[in-house]
């Protein structure tokens, strides 16, 4: 409840003495009764609506938030419940109000009860960074798992009112936070002045609401300012623990323990030991199980790891196949029957016992030498693996051949396909059938048929059932996540990786956990979540610090993250650590070297890059990776030989443009253009900046009233032509932080001044600037230009087609979304109007209806969740199979033949993950599918927004340029409702 409402309660109870009208009005205007849970009687009292006589209500409180006419109220004869008379007397003395003494509470120390500090235990596990709320008591969790406002003691209203009078908003927030009232805590923290303590407590709110990545980023920001901040260290440990990053959590608790705080240090030490010992014990047990089953290949007397098979059936079964293949005699094979029986018992059936018996019947005079060499192949001891695989192919020992083919894939795709197609079709062992499906998917992806690979892997996952196959199911998720990451679909990748990560932890599969940690790190990096990516990588390193390849892998990726964090010194340091093992730096290392050259390089860097590129080129890179290598070499060369560097970058672009469906190529193309644009900006060539930006976006550059903007890490470039075609430019290499969701301030005042006389401004913005709000002032008419890579319909909008309106959507009940009010009828006749509403407004029907429409309006809830999609999606009525989301990926699958005007009247429809190499959002998807013009907002919009979009549409129908129509409608709307800030966030894409 708001302290203003608390104050009103105290007024009504007569505890604050006389009060003047101004004071009463002040608190009443800020109370917002509907949002605070004031009971109905109090609402009616505040409005003075109690009637005469028996106290029945004579009028309804239609709008309890409206200002109260106290003069009118004083003319009423109130009949109030007992205990409310003092305020009546105060209000009745109209003539003497000015003479009344205004009650101003004296500043006094609030009692400990405000923050529950008097309690013997605490219910909030996190630490609150407000001193009087941070006394240590033992943690006693609620049975429901979380603190709720109803489970804590009531708020002392007088003291909260005093805190607000003193301006102590953080203290009020802390009082709500310890009681589990996250909404109120967040509200008051948002109003409190910025500080490390405030951000620490905002992180607590995010942690309690399950927004772990956001909490981690906030806490790391606090610790950058105050490295020993005790509450931030403690809360960071909780976040890391909840993310499953237990060794990093233990490190954070250990840092708290070292500070020697009474109570907190002791508890931190206990927590740290439990996390570290538990994690290390799991790792030791798993490694022991793997070693035990591998011993079977080299030691005829090794014990059968039966108990390990029950505890870790996945890794034991994986190694069991190799043990059977390596058996050199009938007896050696049959000796494995008890292990096969245990593993069969986990899944059911007798597949593995049957396999052992079949192998035992083989002719070991022929098989035994091959089995011995197979064991050497598994251990990496064979001199010519490819020759051995070919020998196995001709031997007739099919199980040995297929096992070796997994370990040593053939460069001959037809042979690889032949080997596994038969296995997938004929094998009665579901484990091996799933292995075959994975290998066939690998082939399809390598051949560029990613859609076949995706369908195959999804079908394999659907067929993956039973506890004995849980390990194999998780590895399929890992493979599917890899595919989605290669396709630049991090939201889909995250879905698979997170499920696989949770499954691998439940199974206790230590090595698989490591793989998913690295997968999640890659996904976080794609999303520019530097804090999350760094945490996943460091946890993976903490688990295997002794493995040199792991140290190289982690540090070279941490170097790249340091670049994303605008820390070239940190990147250089991490790169030096990566070199410590003498292992190849790989593509991430080559890219880091090329970016570090911006800040200076020497002959050693040049030699290191040359060796790294040479190693990568010998490793049979894909065409897209070859383009990336050319980009790395070109960017590095710019500092030594600018002409050669530019030629290499243009060559990388040409290579990339020959591979339109290759994600690596798309990254290379935009990355190279960004570097060339910043190079031209640094040289003061604004005309070249415009030309290169237009080429990057595949749009024609107008001769006047055009603005080009690019941001490439620490560099920002602006170029423009004013109303008369005059050329202006701006370059800055001093950026120290990534772009936020607002681009305000990127365009300098002198460039804005040159554009003021333009009727309309075309904005050519490279990612990640494209689609941000605030780039130009709201009083200018402007739009983002979106190019097409070819194949889309003409951008000339067809008239006379249908006007599709999607409204009255019935979203899934599970989402808990409020039902939107009915759309108001159009103010002008619209004979072309076609509505899809209610349960008929499903994604498939909407996509079908859009194809021929000349106008499309979507009035529905919007959602942005990186876990679901990399751009905002529209919530529609569910299909029979439950699918309800209309995403950018779905829109890209249709051809909008009518080149429609599209109005996305949904919350946050223009929001997207800020990829560095491409613009990926709903508006861009509509343009690429054939739309001519798209209006969408980057923020939440009210239910009344439909009228605003209608006003813009009617202006466009009347022939007004869309950007002018948007600007004028915005002006008119703000004139009527100055507080409607959301209209400033409606953007135009053409």
């Amino acid at each position: 409840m708001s302290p203003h409402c608390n104050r009103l309660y105290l007024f009504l109870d007569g505890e604050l003495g006389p009060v003047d009208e101004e004071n009463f009005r002040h608190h009443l205007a800020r109370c917002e009764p509907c949002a605070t849970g004031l009971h109905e009687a109090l609402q009616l009292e505040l409005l003075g609506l109690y009637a005469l006589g028996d106290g029945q209500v004579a009028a309804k409180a239609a709008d309890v938030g409206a200002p109260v006419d106290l003069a009118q109220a004083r003319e009423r004869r109130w009949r109030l419940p007992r205990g409310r008379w003092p305020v009546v007397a105060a209000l009745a003395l109209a003539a003497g109000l000015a003479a009344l003494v205004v009650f101003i509470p004296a500043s006094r120390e609030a009692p400990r009860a405000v923050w529950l500090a008097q309690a013997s235990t605490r219910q909030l596990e996190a630490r609150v960074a407000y001193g009087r709320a941070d006394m240590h008591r033992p943690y006693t969790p609620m049975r429901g798992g979380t603190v709720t406002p109803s489970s804590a003691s009531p708020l002392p209203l007088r003291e909260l009112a005093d805190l607000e009078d003193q301006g102590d908003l953080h203290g009020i927030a802390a009082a709500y936070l310890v009681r589990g009232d996250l909404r109120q805590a967040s509200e008051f923290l948002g109003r409190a002045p910025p500080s490390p303590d405030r951000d620490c407590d905002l992180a607590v709110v995010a942690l309690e609401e399950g927004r772990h990545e956001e909490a981690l980023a906030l806490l790391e920001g606090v610790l950058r300012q105050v490295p020993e901040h005790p509450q931030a260290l403690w809360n960071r440990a909780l976040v890391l623990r909840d993310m499953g990053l237990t060794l990093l959590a233990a490190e954070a608790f250990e840092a708290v323990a070292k500070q020697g705080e009474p109570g907190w240090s002791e508890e931190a030490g206990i927590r740290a030991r439990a996390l570290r010992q538990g994690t290390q014990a799991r790792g030791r047990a798993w490694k022991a199980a793997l070693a035990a089953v591998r011993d079977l290949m080299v030691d005829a007397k090794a014990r059968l790891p039966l108990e390990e098979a029950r505890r870790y059936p996945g890794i034991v079964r994986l190694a069991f196949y190799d043990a059977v293949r390596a058996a050199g005699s009938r007896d050696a094979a049959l000796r494995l029957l008890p292990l096969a029986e245990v593993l069969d018992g986990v899944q059911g059936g007798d597949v593995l016992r049957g396999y052992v018996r079949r192998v035992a019947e083989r002719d070991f005079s022929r098989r035994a030498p091959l089995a011995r060499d197979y064991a050497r192949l598994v251990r990496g001891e064979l001199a010519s693996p490819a020759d051995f695989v070919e020998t196995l192919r001709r031997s007739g020992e099919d199980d040995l051949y297929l096992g070796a083919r997994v370990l040593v894939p053939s460069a001959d795709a037809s042979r690889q396909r032949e080997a596994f197609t038969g296995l997938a079709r004929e094998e009665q062992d579901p484990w091996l059938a799933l292995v075959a499906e994975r290998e066939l998917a690998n082939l399809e992806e390598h051949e560029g048929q990613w859609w076949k690979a995706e369908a195959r892997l999804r079908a394999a996952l659907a067929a993956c059932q039973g506890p004995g196959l849980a390990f194999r199911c998780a590895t399929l998720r890992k493979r599917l996540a890899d595919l989605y990451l290669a396709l630049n679909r991090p939201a889909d990748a995250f879905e698979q990786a997170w499920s696989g990560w949770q499954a691998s932890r439940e199974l206790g599969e230590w090595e698989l956990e490591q793989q998913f940690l690295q997968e999640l790190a890659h996904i976080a990096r794609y999303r520019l979540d530097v804090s999350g990516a760094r945490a996943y990588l460091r946890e993976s390193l903490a688990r295997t610090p002794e493995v040199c390849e792991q140290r190289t892998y982690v540090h070279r990726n941490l170097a790249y993250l340091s670049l994303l964090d605008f820390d070239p010194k940190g990147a250089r340091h991490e790169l030096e650590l990566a070199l410590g093992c003498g292992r190849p730096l790989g593509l991430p290392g080559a890219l880091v070297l090329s970016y570090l050259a911006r800040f200076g390089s020497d002959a050693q860097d040049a030699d290191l890059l040359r060796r790294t590129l040479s190693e990568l080129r010998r490793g049979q890179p894909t065409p897209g990776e070859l383009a990336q290598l050319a980009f790395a070499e070109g960017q590095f060369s710019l500092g030594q030989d600018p002409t050669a560097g530019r030629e290499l970058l243009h060559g990388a672009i040409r290579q990339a443009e020959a591979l339109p469906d290759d994600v690596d190529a798309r990254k290379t193309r935009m990355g190279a253009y960004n570097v060339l644009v910043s190079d031209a900006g640094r040289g003061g060539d604004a005309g070249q900046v415009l030309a290169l930006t237009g080429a990057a976006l595949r749009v024609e550059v107008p001769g006047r009233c055009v603005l080009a903007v690019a941001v490439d890490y620490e560099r920002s470039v602006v170029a423009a032509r004013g109303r008369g075609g005059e050329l202006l430019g701006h370059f800055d290499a001093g950026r120290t932080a990534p772009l936020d969701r607002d681009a305000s301030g990127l365009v300098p005042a002198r460039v804005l001044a040159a554009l003021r006389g333009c009727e309309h401004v075309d904005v050519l913005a490279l990612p990640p600037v494209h689609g941000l709000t605030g780039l130009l002032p709201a009083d200018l008419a402007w739009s983002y230009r979106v190019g097409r890579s070819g194949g889309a319909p003409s951008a000339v909008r067809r008239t006379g087609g249908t006007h599709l309106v999607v409204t009255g959507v019935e979203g899934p009940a599970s989402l808990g979304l409020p039902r939107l009010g009915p759309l108001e009828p159009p103010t002008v006749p619209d004979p072309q109007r076609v509505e899809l509403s209610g349960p008929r407004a499903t994604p498939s029907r909407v996509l079908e209806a859009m194809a021929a429409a000349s106008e499309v309006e979507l009035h529905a809830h919007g959602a942005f969740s990186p876990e679901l999609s990399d751009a905002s999606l529209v919530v529609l009525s569910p299909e029979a199979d439950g699918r309800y989301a209309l995403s950018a990926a779905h829109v890209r699958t249709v051809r909008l033949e009518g080149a429609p005007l599209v109005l996305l009247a949904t919350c946050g429809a223009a929001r997207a993950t800020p990829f560095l190499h491409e613009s990926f959002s709903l508006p861009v998807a509509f343009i690429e599918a054939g739309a001519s013009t798209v209006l969408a907002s980057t923020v939440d919009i009210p239910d009344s927004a439909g009228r605003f979009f209608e006003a813009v549409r009617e202006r466009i129908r009347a022939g007004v340029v869309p950007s002018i129509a948007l600007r004028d409608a915005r002006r008119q709307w703000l004139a009527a409702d100055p507080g409607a800030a959301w209209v400033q966030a409606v953007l135009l894409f053409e």
Side-chain angles (χ1 to χ4, degrees):
M1 183 182 301
S2 164
H4 293 286
C5 299
N6 298 340
R7 181 68 71 183
L8 291 173
Y9 264 124
L10 297 174
F11 285 154
L12 293 171
D13 281 328
E15 295 186 16
L16 297 186
V19 58
D20 68 5
E21 180 174 344
E22 181 181 357
N23 204 358
F24 192 90
R25 282 185 181 276
H26 168 78
H27 292 291
L28 183 63
R30 290 162 176 76
C31 179
E32 301 177 2
C34 283
T36 60
L38 286 178
H39 57 72
E40 182 180 278
L42 177 57
Q43 293 178 17
L44 295 172
E45 288 170 28
L46 294 179
L47 289 173
L49 294 178
Y50 269 86
L52 299 174
D54 59 3
Q56 297 297 313
V57 176
K60 294 182 179 179
D63 185 2
V64 293
V68 175
D69 186 340
L70 293 183
Q72 183 180 8
R74 286 196 294 273
E75 295 175 2
R76 299 173 181 268
R77 289 184 1 189
W78 286 17
R79 180 173 180 179
L80 302 178
R82 186 175 299 172
R84 309 294 189 184
W85 289 107
V87 73
V88 178
L91 293 177
L93 298 175
L97 274 176
L100 290 175
V101 177
V102 178
F103 180 84
I104 302 177
S107 178
R108 58 189 175 88
E109 185 77 7
R112 299 171 65 199
V114 174
W115 300 281
L116 305 181
Q118 83 291 351
S120 59
T121 61
R122 74 183 198 276
Q123 296 178 1
L124 185 68
E125 189 176 19
R127 289 183 66 174
V128 179
Y130 182 81
R132 287 182 279 177
D134 190 41
M135 281 69 75
H136 181 269
R137 288 98 67 211
Y139 171 56
T140 304
M142 298 297 295
R143 290 184 180 274
T146 57
V147 184
T148 62
S150 61
S151 66
S153 63
L155 282 161
L157 305 182
R158 177 192 293 272
E159 284 75 12
L160 257 64
D162 289 344
L163 288 171
E164 184 164 41
D165 287 341
Q166 298 162 21
D168 191 353
L169 299 178
H170 194 175
I172 299 171
Y176 285 118
L177 193 52
V178 297
R179 288 170 171 78
D181 192 335
L182 302 180
R183 186 184 68 82
Q184 290 282 16
S186 180
E187 177 185 338
F188 281 97
L189 287 170
R191 292 166 51 193
S195 71
D197 285 351
R198 185 204 65 163
D199 288 351
C200 183
D201 285 350
L202 282 171
V204 174
V205 175
L207 167 63
E208 293 295 307
E209 292 179 344
R211 294 178 282 118
H212 297 108
E213 290 78 8
E214 181 180 339
L216 185 61
L218 282 165
L219 292 168
E220 291 207 345
V222 172
L223 292 169
R224 276 194 292 270
Q225 300 175 69
V226 188
E228 302 300 320
H229 196 288
Q231 294 88 1
L233 286 169
W234 178 280
N235 295 336
R236 182 173 180 270
L238 296 181
V239 173
L240 293 168
R241 181 205 61 189
D242 288 356
M243 293 172 69
L245 309 182
T246 48
L247 291 182
L248 284 193
E251 288 179 12
F253 276 128
E254 287 161 354
V256 176
K258 290 177 182 177
Q259 296 190 0
E261 297 175 281
W264 292 115
S265 289
E266 290 80 359
E267 184 178 342
I270 293 169
R271 287 172 175 267
R273 286 190 294 276
L275 287 168
R276 187 173 296 282
Q277 292 170 5
T279 305
Q280 292 174 341
R282 287 197 306 109
R284 284 194 300 272
W286 182 90
K287 292 173 185 176
L290 178 62
V293 74
R294 282 184 172 171
D295 285 346
L296 298 174
M297 286 197 299
V298 295
D299 184 356
K301 296 182 180 180
R303 71 176 179 87
L304 295 178
L306 303 181
E307 185 56 39
E308 289 86 343
R310 295 183 183 93
R311 186 175 179 185
Y312 303 106
I315 193 63
V316 172
R317 183 167 183 167
L318 183 68
F320 165 82
Y321 286 103
D322 285 337
V324 176
R325 292 164 187 155
S329 67
R330 170 184 170 83
D331 289 345
L334 291 175
R335 179 174 176 268
L336 299 174
L337 269 176
L339 186 56
E341 184 174 356
V342 171
L343 293 171
D344 276 339
V346 174
Q347 178 68 20
D350 62 352
V351 167
L352 298 183
R353 282 171 287 183
Y355 173 47
V356 170
R357 293 189 182 101
R358 289 195 303 274
V359 168
E361 299 303 318
R362 302 297 297 173
D363 179 0
F364 278 91
S365 64
R366 296 177 59 253
R367 182 179 172 98
L370 298 174
R372 284 194 296 272
D373 282 346
Y374 182 86
R376 294 173 61 201
L377 175 68
V378 173
R379 296 195 299 269
E381 300 170 357
L382 210 57
S384 302
D387 293 341
F388 176 60
V389 174
E390 184 59 25
T391 299
L392 289 177
R393 188 179 72 85
R394 297 192 299 267
S395 71
E397 302 293 341
D398 291 344
D399 64 322
L400 294 179
Y401 172 60
L402 291 169
R405 182 55 77 202
V406 172
L407 295 171
V408 187
S410 174
D412 186 339
S414 61
R415 282 199 174 167
Q416 192 82 349
R417 180 176 287 102
E418 177 186 356
F420 290 104
T421 300
L423 179 64
R425 184 174 59 250
E426 300 170 8
E427 182 57 57
Q428 298 303 305
D429 183 342
W431 178 288
L432 294 179
L434 293 171
V435 171
E437 294 295 336
R438 183 196 66 191
E439 294 300 317
L440 290 170
N442 289 344
L443 279 173
E444 289 163 344
E445 182 188 1
H446 186 75
E447 293 168 348
Q449 298 177 315
W450 60 264
W451 58 93
K452 289 185 178 180
E454 178 186 14
R456 185 182 295 277
L457 289 169
R458 282 199 167 277
L461 267 173
C464 198
Q465 304 291 333
L469 298 178
F471 174 90
R472 181 54 63 202
C473 302
T475 61
L476 287 173
R477 291 195 182 279
K478 169 68 168 59
R479 185 66 197 85
L480 189 54
D482 286 337
L483 174 63
Y484 284 140
L485 210 51
L487 295 172
N488 197 45
R489 291 162 59 182
D492 291 327
F494 179 83
E495 176 189 1
Q496 300 301 328
W498 188 254
S499 296
W501 161 243
Q502 291 178 309
S504 63
R505 291 172 64 194
E506 291 171 4
L507 295 169
E509 291 290 351
W510 186 257
E511 185 175 342
L512 204 52
E513 286 184 46
Q514 280 288 87
Q515 295 177 25
F516 278 114
L517 279 171
Q518 294 174 358
E519 192 79 16
L520 289 167
H522 281 306
I523 294 167
R525 176 173 63 82
Y526 268 63
R527 294 173 169 177
L528 303 184
D529 174 14
V530 175
S531 298
R534 188 181 286 121
Y536 288 123
L537 285 170
R538 286 181 173 162
E539 176 75 15
S540 71
L541 181 58
R543 294 184 177 203
T544 54
E546 73 285 356
V547 180
C548 212
E549 289 81 358
Q550 176 75 355
R551 293 205 299 275
T552 301
Y553 171 86
V554 168
H555 285 300
R556 76 189 186 197
N557 280 284
L558 287 174
Y560 190 78
L561 292 175
S562 293
L563 281 179
L564 292 178
D565 223 9
F566 292 77
D567 182 12
K569 289 183 180 179
R572 175 70 70 177
H573 174 68
E574 294 291 352
L575 209 57
E576 292 296 331
L577 292 175
L579 290 168
C581 283
R583 300 295 196 274
L585 286 177
L587 182 56
L591 291 170
V592 170
L593 278 170
S594 75
Y595 279 105
L596 285 176
R598 297 178 173 191
F599 309 96
S601 62
D602 54 25
Q604 290 182 340
D605 285 346
D607 290 343
L608 179 57
L609 180 66
R610 185 175 59 254
R611 286 194 300 272
T612 302
L613 294 177
S614 178
E615 289 166 343
L616 289 167
R617 284 169 176 145
R618 289 196 303 270
Q620 297 182 330
T622 65
E625 289 169 341
L626 282 172
Q628 284 189 305
L629 299 182
F631 164 75
E633 185 177 5
Q635 178 168 227
F636 185 90
S637 300
L638 273 179
Q640 289 77 36
D641 185 345
T643 301
R646 291 173 194 132
E647 181 53 41
L648 282 166
L649 288 169
H650 281 291
I653 290 171
R654 288 192 293 272
Q655 292 180 56
E657 288 182 336
L659 304 163
D661 296 326
D662 187 296
V663 174
D664 289 330
R666 296 207 305 270
K667 292 178 183 177
T668 298
R669 180 182 180 277
M670 193 56 72
Y673 268 120
N674 252 318
V675 171
L676 288 168
V677 166
S678 66
D679 177 61
R682 182 178 56 177
D685 192 343
Q688 184 69 356
V689 169
L690 283 165
L692 287 167
T693 307
L697 295 175
R698 296 187 173 96
V699 299
E700 185 177 345
V701 181
R704 54 185 293 278
C705 293
V706 61
L707 172 71
V709 185
V711 170
D712 187 30
Y713 295 94
E714 83 287 0
R715 299 174 175 178
S716 58
V717 183
V718 176
R721 287 192 182 275
R723 183 176 184 180
E726 64 276 19
L727 197 59
L728 300 92
H730 172 77
F731 176 78
D732 176 25
R735 293 189 61 82
T736 59
L739 282 170
D740 201 354
R741 299 194 181 278
D742 187 274
S744 299
L746 267 181
V747 182
R750 63 185 184 87
V751 177
L752 286 176
L755 298 172
R756 283 287 178 189
C758 292
E759 183 182 46
H760 162 83
V761 178
D762 283 302
V763 173
L764 315 180
L766 300 186
V769 179
H770 186 97
L772 297 181
T773 57
L775 186 63
L776 289 177
D779 60 345
L780 282 180
W782 64 280
S783 65
Y784 280 114
R785 290 288 302 277
V786 182
R788 296 191 176 110
S789 57
S794 167
V796 178
R797 190 160 64 90
R798 192 180 70 195
T799 58
T802 59
H803 171 203
L804 174 66
V805 178
V806 178
T807 183
V809 170
E810 298 178 1
S814 60
L815 297 182
L817 296 172
R819 189 178 182 89
L820 295 176
L823 190 64
E824 294 184 9
T827 56
V828 296
D830 190 356
Q832 305 301 320
R833 182 184 177 99
V834 174
E835 281 197 9
L836 267 180
S837 62
R840 296 178 59 247
T842 62
S844 60
R845 286 195 177 100
V846 170
L847 286 169
E848 181 182 5
M850 287 193 310
S854 59
E855 292 179 353
V856 175
E857 289 187 46
L858 300 182
H859 298 268
H861 281 294
F864 179 79
S865 170
E867 290 75 24
L868 296 176
S869 174
D870 300 310
S872 290
L873 50 83
V874 180
V875 177
L876 297 177
S877 300
E879 308 273 6
D881 62 2
R883 180 167 73 89
Y884 64 85
L886 180 68
S887 68
H890 296 137
V891 172
R892 280 176 160 170
T893 64
V894 300
R895 284 279 189 262
L896 303 179
E897 301 295 344
L901 162 68
V902 178
L903 308 179
L904 299 177
T906 70
C907 288
R911 285 189 64 188
T913 300
F915 296 137
L916 297 177
H917 66 281
E918 68 177 343
S919 301
F920 186 80
S921 66
L922 265 178
V924 169
F926 270 101
I927 295 290
E928 291 181 346
S932 61
T933 306
V934 181
L935 272 84
S937 171
T938 61
V939 301
D940 290 350
I941 60 177
D943 203 7
S944 59
R947 289 187 286 111
F948 175 79
F949 282 92
E950 181 186 2
V952 177
R953 184 195 69 220
E954 290 305 315
R955 282 176 163 85
I956 294 174
R957 282 182 174 180
V960 178
V961 174
S963 62
I964 297 175
L966 173 60
R967 181 198 62 192
D968 293 348
R970 180 185 289 132
R971 282 177 176 170
Q972 183 176 358
W973 195 273
L974 288 172
D977 184 7
W982 63 269
V983 300
Q984 308 276 13
V986 177
L987 299 177
L988 180 66
F989 302 81
E990 295 186 283

